[in-house]
Amino acid sequence: MVQVDLPASLTDIGQDAFRDCESLRIIKFPEGLRSIGKEAFRNCKSLDDVVVPGSVITLSYKAFNECHSMTSITLNEGLKIIEESALDNCNLLSLTIPSTVQVIDKKMVEKNKNLQKIVVLATTPPALKSDSEKKVPLYVPAQSLERYQNTKPWKNYKTILPIE
């Protein structure tokens, strides 16, 4: 299975739904999808360039963990929660977190060795349960730069810069 177009009526992707589908390269999510379950796409080693629709509220625990070919993921406005290790051990080059995200759990992108930057669009720093990504440059709204620099654990990032 190389490509999957999910039906428009689908609202939730269950736990382990596509886990270990190593040949899956393309997944097309319907607008109206609300959640991507625990380990739903874990170890989908060929999956890349994922677009998560704005209707998704939660990226669950290890949802895209170990998707080694994933260099890009688009998280749209509407997402509120990124659970533990949701994007861990992929090969993301950069990550933009929408302004609607309120909670980011630990180890979000910890083993993404090629990650060059994280952009957070929220003017109020989301609750961050870990600072394990602190070596990657963090870009935040210019008007919120000082807030991020003074809020734990965001302030543990070595480089915090305004979005230009």
Side-chain angles (χ1 to χ4, degrees):
M1 175 172 36
V2 174
Q3 179 173 334
V4 174
D5 295 322
L6 297 171
S9 59
L10 186 69
T11 58
D12 299 286
I13 296 174
Q15 181 172 341
D16 298 320
F18 293 90
R19 184 176 179 166
D20 297 321
C21 290
E22 293 186 18
S23 61
L24 180 63
R25 288 185 46 241
I26 301 166
I27 186 83
K28 294 192 178 176
F29 298 116
E31 198 58 51
L33 183 68
R34 304 287 289 162
S35 69
I36 297 175
K38 292 180 180 180
E39 301 183 0
F41 294 93
R42 185 173 186 181
N43 202 36
C44 290
K45 294 182 181 199
S46 301
L47 192 61
D48 189 20
D49 297 329
V50 172
V51 177
V52 177
S55 56
V56 172
I57 295 169
T58 303
L59 270 187
S60 296
Y61 173 78
K62 294 189 176 187
F64 291 100
N65 184 271
E66 297 177 17
C67 293
H68 300 296
S69 293
M70 186 183 296
T71 58
S72 171
I73 187 166
T74 302
L75 304 175
N76 283 295
E77 293 292 323
L79 183 66
K80 293 185 181 188
I81 300 167
I82 301 173
E83 291 187 356
E84 180 180 346
S85 301
L87 301 168
D88 193 22
N89 208 8
C90 298
N91 278 308
L92 297 174
L93 301 175
S94 68
L95 178 63
T96 298
I97 299 170
S99 66
T100 52
V101 170
Q102 299 167 354
V103 177
I104 301 170
D105 213 333
K106 59 187 175 184
K107 298 180 184 176
M108 175 183 58
V109 290
E110 187 169 291
K111 294 178 186 167
N112 280 267
K113 294 180 177 128
N114 295 321
L115 191 63
Q116 297 168 12
K117 69 178 179 177
I118 296 174
V119 177
V120 181
L121 299 176
T123 54
T124 300
L128 179 64
K129 296 184 180 179
S130 171
D131 63 352
S132 60
E133 295 84 37
K134 65 186 175 185
K135 294 177 185 173
V136 176
L138 179 68
Y139 292 82
V140 300
Q143 71 269 28
S144 302
L145 183 63
E146 193 172 310
R147 241 187 250 153
Y148 280 87
Q149 291 170 332
N150 294 316
T151 301
K152 280 187 173 185
W154 292 104
K155 70 180 188 176
N156 293 334
Y157 278 79
K158 290 184 179 183
T159 306
I160 304 176
L161 299 168
I163 299 168
E164 295 180 11

